[in-house]
Amino acid sequence: MAKMWAGRTDGVTDRIADDFNSSIAFDSRMFRQDITGSMAHAAMLGKQGIITPAEAETLIEGLAGILADLESGALAIDPSCEDIHMFVEQVLTERLGDVGKKLHTARSRNDQVALDMRMYLRDETDAIMQKVRDLLEAILGQAKENRAVTVPGYTHLQRAQPITFAHHLLAYAMMLLRDLDRFSDCKKRTNVSPIGSCALAGTTYGTDRRFEAAELGFADICRNSIDGVSDRDFCVEFLGACAILMMHLSRFSEELILWSSWEFKFVELSDAYTTGSSIMPQKKNPDMAELIRGKTGRVYGDLMALLTTLKGLPLAYNKDMQEDKESVFDALDTVKMCLDVMTPMIGTMKTLPQNMKAAAQKGFINATDLADYLVKKGMPFRAAYKIAGQLVSYCIKEGTVLEELPLATYQSYSDLFGEDVYGDIDLDVCVKKRISEGGTSPDSVDAQIRYVEEVLNHGEHIH
Ligand code: ARG
């Protein structure tokens, strides 16, 4: 069949070229945005007298009918159409006759597709943000339950200092708050209407871009029509926010995988989010967490793909830009899927406080507190640090721990040591003493929980 754009050419193309050129397989998911956008366009054309009010009414009703039929399944997408824009216009013209052909007045697919993408991403950004909030709630639930559970804190994956498990979890909450902030910030630049930019240069018709933008809930309009049709920064920013979010989910997944190993056994993931092995009967594998970690690479790829597509493009629209969709859709589908799995996996995760505590008791993670004890008694920190180090090395040699060394041994290293040293190096005490803002004591952790709740309940996170 000849194309709707037949004219300059006869519109007859090779089937392989058609398949190559077509985007309907992936852009039909924007049918709601495309139709809603067209309804606002028809309303604007009618209001401005570019078409008659009666024609506008007919177009709007026709579009509403197509939307309803697509929603109900009465109308199927025709895969032989070039893209969703052509499909809707074709059905409209089939149903309404010549009036249907007036819809595309003072518009181009170039501003139309940019409009659809912005509307689609606005909605998807909201959906992702809601899922991030759900994950934050799951983390808060675990943090509250494990508020005073002592666990080793690590640097270089070596036991470093005792912390509370809640404190560790809340580090992820802070990352996710920043993710929310990034999505909401990028939404500000997404929520700007390109429609009315037309092919690239604007139009001779007396359009009202602001009316059309307001109808569609946009906060502003693109101020330069060339930029309006060639800007995909909002897609790149969105992908950037997705990539950073995935990096966070991936780090979290990595820890879940470590923590559920026999070597750590700090947590047990629910059977619902693990799998068995086809050969080894004893296995319980954290496949979901591994897949989240794995899928992070693919979202990074989506970001790189779009950046690379855009880097050499002259202004304004180029067909290369059709490639924005698969990257953006793949990333948002992946992010949503990962969040959908992560949230209940965290919510149902069982923590094993005894094992956490036992791990904290090995590895001399109270050595800093031992040095601090001597500082409190008047010794300069460097000297205290050295003695604490010598005592650790003595313990390792003797196969014992700081808590079990007799006082006489302590005193052979410094006469500043007294009975009270044992209280100071008790792990729970070490944790409770770290009362600095943002620190690991249960009180500091409570303040962090309150902060996260406050941001979740009262909106924007500023940092
Ligand atoms: N399917 C196209 C895309 O996704 C729509 C815009 C086509 N515009 C054009 N001048 N060929 O980018």
Side-chain angles (χ1 to χ4, degrees), residues 80-101:
S80 72
C81 281
E82 191 176 315
D83 54 32
I84 186 63
H85 327 294
M86 291 304 209
F87 169 74
V88 172
E89 202 182 319
Q90 181 183 300
V91 176
L92 191 69
T93 307
E94 278 162 17
R95 290 185 177 187
L96 302 182
D98 278 350
V99 189
K101 297 183 185 164

Side-chain angles (χ1 to χ4, degrees), residues 127-281:
I128 289 176
M129 286 176 72
Q130 187 48 50
K131 288 181 193 293
V132 173
R133 283 193 203 98
D134 295 343
L135 175 55
L136 274 160
E137 295 291 351
I139 292 174
L140 281 179
Q142 286 287 1
K144 285 178 190 168
E145 263 172 52
N146 295 281
R147 128 178 217 285
V149 171
T150 305
V151 64
Y154 296 83
T155 64
H156 312 271
L157 202 57
Q158 303 285 321
R159 290 171 185 150
Q161 288 178 343
I163 57 170
T164 54
F165 191 58
H167 190 212
H168 194 107
L169 290 175
L170 284 164
Y172 286 103
M174 301 306 164
M175 298 177 214
L176 293 172
L177 286 186
R178 288 194 297 275
D179 288 319
L180 281 180
D181 205 25
R182 255 183 290 276
F183 279 109
S184 102
D185 187 56
C186 121
K187 201 180 141 192
K188 283 184 214 146
R189 282 175 293 280
T190 305
N191 198 23
V192 176
S193 169
I195 197 72
S197 298
C198 302
L200 79 163
T203 180
T204 54
Y205 293 98
T207 52
D208 185 346
R209 288 191 58 202
R210 286 173 194 276
F211 169 83
E212 207 169 330
E215 285 286 282
L216 297 170
F218 283 97
D220 199 357
I221 57 169
C222 304
R223 302 307 177 101
N224 176 303
S225 61
I226 300 173
D227 185 47
V229 291
S230 53
D231 172 28
R232 293 293 183 275
D233 291 3
F234 63 99
C235 297
V236 175
E237 285 188 48
F238 174 82
L239 288 172
C242 287
I244 297 175
L245 168 60
M246 287 303 297
M247 180 262 287
H248 295 152
L249 299 187
S250 184
R251 292 180 79 171
F252 203 176
S253 296
E254 166 66 15
E255 298 215 282
L256 293 178
I257 294 161
L258 277 176
W259 292 339
S260 30
S261 69
W262 281 106
E263 283 69 13
F264 279 80
K265 265 286 165 258
F266 289 177
V267 302
E268 179 153 6
L269 297 175
S270 150
D271 290 359
Y273 302 101
T274 51
T275 60
S277 153
S278 57
I279 166 170
M280 297 164 283

Side-chain angles (χ1 to χ4, degrees), residues 423-443:
D424 272 34
I425 61 170
D426 177 82
L427 288 183
D428 292 330
V429 174
C430 295
V431 166
K432 276 202 199 91
K433 277 189 311 195
R434 289 195 162 74
I435 50 163
S436 55
E437 246 196 290
T440 208
S441 74
D443 286 347

Side-chain angles (χ1 to χ4, degrees), residues 60-75:
I60 292 168
E61 273 166 28
L63 288 163
I66 295 176
L67 182 55
D69 290 350
L70 282 172
E71 298 278 16
S72 72
L75 175 66

